[in-house]
Amino acid sequence: MERSLRNVLVLSSGFLLLFTAYGGLQSLQSSLYSEEGLGVTALSALYGAVLLSSMFLPPLLIRSLGCKWAVAIPMCGYVAFSLGNFSASWYTLIPTSILLGLGAAPLWSAQCTYLTIVGNAHAEKAGKLGKDVVNQYFGIFFLIFQSSGVWGNLISSLVFGQTPSKGSGVLAILLIAVFLENIEDTQREGGGEKKSTPFWSTLLSTFKLFRDKRLRLLTLLPLYSGLQQGFLSGEYTRSYVTCALGIQFVGYVMICFSATNSLCSLLYGRISRHTGRIALYALGAGTQLCCSIALLLWTPHPDQLAVFFVFPGLWGVADAVWQTQNNALYGVLFEENKEAAFASYRLWEALGFVVAFGYSTFLCVYVKLYVLLGVLSVAMVAYGTVEYLESKNPVGPLAPRQENQEEVEEIQTKM
């Protein structure tokens, strides 16, 4: 097995073990701890901490610790959150939710940065386009990662009230610490001596990157990603599934979402080189547009059991687009500032989650669906604008550099 693929599998397996314990807990928060709004408040606190962390921590931790340890250390927060759920109260869930949130942004930013670096490095050796390999690696990662939702929710559903053991989180930390190779971003360093970056420059790099027009236009993509995930896990499970079928069906419904999400992630990672990302974005937007309109028109009834599973299944088809293509797109467009770009991504995605869970208790379902439709529409227009800008600059940042440089020099010589 090639070295880069082995590292991708180790990283993916670590996230699988970690989120097998955490995923089932997250899906049940709003339903299991609905009394006095504890579950929704815990999720809001969690993503509020992610929001704060995303502003400063990811670039700082990734550049000081490296991607490997910026993944392993924040995983401890997830284990603490799992422990807090064994004796759920305001004094255990809220602090551990904040601890988890502070570590989540560096964790996910480091994961995305790691896959982007490994994908680019392998593409350079194999003579392939970096964006194709990065897309493929994100597809493999989300295939394995999203399956954690199947196993975690299956355990929560078969033995209701029980959650996957915290031991799987500890195993995830050990797996990453022992088997994942630390890597250097040779592309950014140009293969030469590593340059030191001033502390304050690194700390504020997430904000500095907003000077890039493309990033400002793309902020609605992660914002919408957070809104639509928050709607499914916080609103659909409570207002549709729990009210009509009972809380015992929540896990099974989320299994359907995770299964389709997992399989489609691998599919999109493989076919993106043939279809291009625009077609996949159109598929994701069209699917969730139709689902949102259908949910506005649908009146849930226990006799319509299959319909309760159709919606999360289709939602997973669309969410796989956002997870694979959004992350790959950020890695492609902002190759020189990957850490700050992915930190910005987590910042806006966390804001989407915070908004979704924040207005969950006082806005009607139909209003939330209108919000989703509005944000999705504007996000697609903004994304289309970025694609138009990129089409006017056809030499992408992940094209083989040496070949491009030689071509430019040759043209200049002829002129």
Side-chain angles (χ1 to χ4, degrees):
M1 182 184 297
E2 58 192 39
R3 182 178 175 183
S4 59
L5 181 58
R6 184 182 70 83
N7 282 314
V8 171
L9 293 176
V10 170
L11 182 66
S12 305
S13 300
F15 274 71
L16 170 63
L17 289 171
L18 182 70
F19 282 86
T20 295
Y22 169 70
L25 288 173
Q26 184 190 34
S27 299
L28 290 172
Q29 290 297 301
S30 62
S31 299
L32 193 59
Y33 308 126
S34 58
E35 188 174 338
E36 297 182 359
L38 174 58
V40 172
T41 303
L43 290 174
S44 299
L46 191 161
Y47 288 103
V50 177
L51 188 67
L52 179 64
S53 173
S54 300
M55 296 179 185
F56 307 104
L57 291 184
L60 191 63
L61 291 182
I62 293 171
R63 294 188 183 182
S64 59
L65 301 176
C67 289
K68 172 180 177 175
W69 296 110
V71 168
I73 294 174
M75 283 183 168
C76 299
Y78 286 77
V79 176
F81 179 78
S82 299
L83 289 171
N85 273 267
F86 278 90
S87 180
S89 69
W90 288 91
Y91 301 102
T92 58
L93 277 186
I94 304 303
T96 54
S97 295
I98 294 173
L99 181 63
L100 188 159
L102 291 175
L107 173 77
W108 281 101
S109 298
Q111 170 263 332
C112 292
T113 302
Y114 192 96
L115 289 180
T116 302
I117 294 173
V118 169
N120 290 336
H122 178 69
E124 185 177 349
K125 291 180 181 178
K128 300 179 180 179
L129 284 177
K131 64 178 182 179
D132 292 338
V133 179
V134 171
N135 251 315
Q136 181 183 356
Y137 283 177
F138 272 108
I140 293 172
F141 173 83
F142 281 105
L143 166 72
I144 297 173
F145 164 72
Q146 292 291 358
S147 69
S148 66
V150 176
W151 311 120
N153 283 298
L154 186 62
I155 294 172
S156 298
S157 300
L158 291 178
V159 189
F160 181 71
Q162 301 296 317
T163 54
S165 172
K166 59 184 180 296
S168 64
V170 175
L171 289 175
I173 298 172
L174 293 175
L175 180 66
I176 297 297
V178 175
F179 293 105
L180 187 67
E181 295 182 68
N182 214 345
I183 54 173
E184 295 291 337
D185 190 354
T186 56
Q187 290 189 328
R188 184 176 62 203
E189 305 301 338
E193 185 178 349
K194 188 174 182 180
K195 301 177 183 178
S196 61
T197 305
F199 171 81
W200 288 108
S201 179
T202 302
L203 188 68
L204 299 175
S205 59
T206 302
F207 295 100
K208 290 166 63 178
L209 194 59
F210 277 103
R211 291 179 293 188
D212 192 319
K213 183 197 302 184
R214 299 170 303 168
L215 183 67
R216 295 197 300 270
L217 287 169
L218 288 174
T219 52
L220 287 176
L221 280 179
L223 177 68
Y224 176 75
S225 176
L227 284 172
Q228 59 90 19
Q229 289 181 75
F231 177 84
L232 186 75
S233 61
E235 193 61 46
Y236 183 79
T237 56
R238 182 183 59 183
S239 300
Y240 288 85
V241 179
T242 302
C243 287
L245 301 178
I247 193 174
Q248 67 273 16
F249 279 90
V250 169
Y252 294 115
V253 165
M254 294 305 294
I255 286 172
C256 187
F257 165 77
S258 298
T260 57
N261 202 329
S262 177
L263 294 174
C264 288
S265 294
L266 179 64
L267 176 64
Y268 299 156
R270 290 185 175 275
I271 69 172
S272 61
R273 70 182 67 180
H274 305 294
T275 63
R277 59 179 177 243
I278 296 178
L280 293 177
Y281 273 107
L283 172 64
T287 301
Q288 286 196 336
L289 179 69
C290 293
C291 284
S292 298
I293 294 173
L295 285 172
L296 282 170
L297 302 175
W298 181 46
T299 302
H301 193 277
D303 293 337
Q304 303 169 321
L305 183 62
V307 181
F308 287 91
F309 292 88
V310 170
F311 281 113
L314 292 174
W315 211 265
V317 170
D319 185 67
V321 174
W322 314 133
Q323 301 310 315
T324 59
Q325 301 307 304
N326 284 359
N327 286 290
L329 178 64
Y330 269 62
V332 167
L333 297 184
F334 310 106
E335 180 193 357
E336 298 297 328
N337 298 282
K338 290 182 285 293
E339 299 92 343
F342 287 125
S344 172
Y345 184 93
R346 297 305 155 195
L347 170 66
W348 289 97
E349 187 177 50
L351 180 60
F353 274 109
V354 170
V355 171
F357 292 125
Y359 63 38
S360 176
T361 56
F362 61 87
L363 285 184
C364 296
V365 176
Y366 77 91
V367 177
K368 299 168 190 173
L369 286 168
Y370 282 129
V371 171
L372 284 181
L373 289 170
V375 176
L376 175 60
S377 301
V378 179
M380 288 299 99
V381 172
Y383 163 71
T385 304
V386 172
E387 289 288 4
Y388 172 73
L389 293 174
E390 287 299 298
S391 69
K392 299 177 69 174
N393 180 28
V395 179
L398 293 186
R401 296 188 173 196
Q402 293 181 347
E403 294 180 8
N404 288 338
Q405 183 63 32
E406 290 173 359
E407 291 174 3
V408 170
E409 292 175 355
E410 182 179 353
I411 293 172
Q412 290 176 344
T413 301
K414 291 179 178 179
M415 293 177 64

